């Protein structure tokens, strides 16, 4: 439910889970399908893993509206699992997993995103003064060191 007055600073939203009103829009997220609002803390997502910027960057769906990102269907709820980072839904069989895992689960899209950020970070730490020749020498395959045989032989 959205009540608006003449200015956007007076927007009031009601969390459909706790039914409390808020004007602190940075702590509330709207379902792209049903348009209901939820406080981030009311969603009870894993605070250590969840990435709110990621969630706010796509058409997030509440639990009632959530569909599998792979097949775009909402059936087989008992086989539906949710990424602990982005909160997108996936059927176990759509991502080749036998059963919903115990504990945390991160989807392939989030793992790839995390890896690309790590690689960018690593490449930012490579000294710029290293020449192409030095870099190719440092990246050449290591040759085994000759070690004398000891003992029998």
């Amino acid at each position: 439910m959205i009540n608006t007055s003449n200015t956007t600073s007076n927007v009031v939203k009601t969390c459909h889970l706790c039914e409390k009103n808020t004007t602190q829009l940075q702590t509330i997220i709207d379902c792209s399908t049903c348009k209901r609002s939820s406080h981030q803390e009311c969603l009870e997502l894993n605070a250590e893993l969840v990435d709110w910027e990621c969630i706010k960057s796509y058409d997030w769906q509440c639990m009632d509206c959530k569909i599998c990102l792979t097949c775009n269907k909402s059936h087989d709820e008992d086989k539906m699992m949710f990424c602990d980072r982005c909160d997108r839904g996936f059927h176990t069989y759509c991502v080749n997993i036998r059963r919903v895992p115990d504990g945390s689960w991160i989807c392939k899209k989030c793992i790839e995103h995390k890896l690309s950020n790590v690689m960018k970070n690593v490449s930012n730490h490579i000294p710029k003064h290293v020449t192409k020749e030095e870099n190719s020498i440092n990246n050449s395959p290591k040759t085994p060191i000759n070690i004398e045989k000891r003992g029998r032989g």
Side-chain angles (χ1 to χ4, degrees), residues 1-2 16 49 52 63 65 67 74 79 81 99 102 116 126 129 133 143 145:
M1 170 193 306
I2 301 175
H16 85 280
L49 297 176
W52 287 107
M63 291 300 289
C65 299
I67 60 170
S74 62
K79 293 181 175 48
M81 56 189 185
R99 63 178 180 82
D102 296 328
S116 72
I126 295 175
H129 68 277
E133 263 179 22
T143 53
I145 300 171

Side-chain angles (χ1 to χ4, degrees), residues 103-121:
S104 297
W105 179 76
I106 306 293
C107 72
K108 182 178 178 181
K109 186 173 185 128
C110 286
I111 290 171
E112 289 171 352
H113 177 76
K114 184 74 170 172
L115 285 175
S116 72
N117 285 343
V118 167
M119 294 307 293
K120 285 177 192 172
N121 197 12

Side-chain angles (χ1 to χ4, degrees), residues 44-103:
E44 297 180 358
L45 299 176
N46 185 331
E48 293 176 17
L49 297 176
V50 72
D51 181 347
W52 287 107
E53 294 308 313
C54 175
I55 290 173
K56 290 179 180 183
S57 72
Y58 73 93
D59 291 334
W60 177 83
Q61 295 171 309
C62 68
M63 291 300 289
D64 295 334
C65 299
K66 190 111 31 205
I67 60 170
C68 173
L69 187 67
T70 305
C71 70
N72 293 318
K73 305 236 186 288
S74 62
H75 66 285
D76 286 341
E77 288 182 24
D78 61 320
K79 293 181 175 48
M80 185 80 81
M81 56 189 185
F82 311 99
C83 176
D84 285 315
R85 183 177 177 275
C86 69
D87 196 41
R88 289 180 175 103
F90 298 87
H91 289 112
T92 54
Y93 49 83
C94 287
V95 291
N96 298 317
I97 295 177
R98 291 181 192 215
R99 63 178 180 82
V100 175
D102 296 328

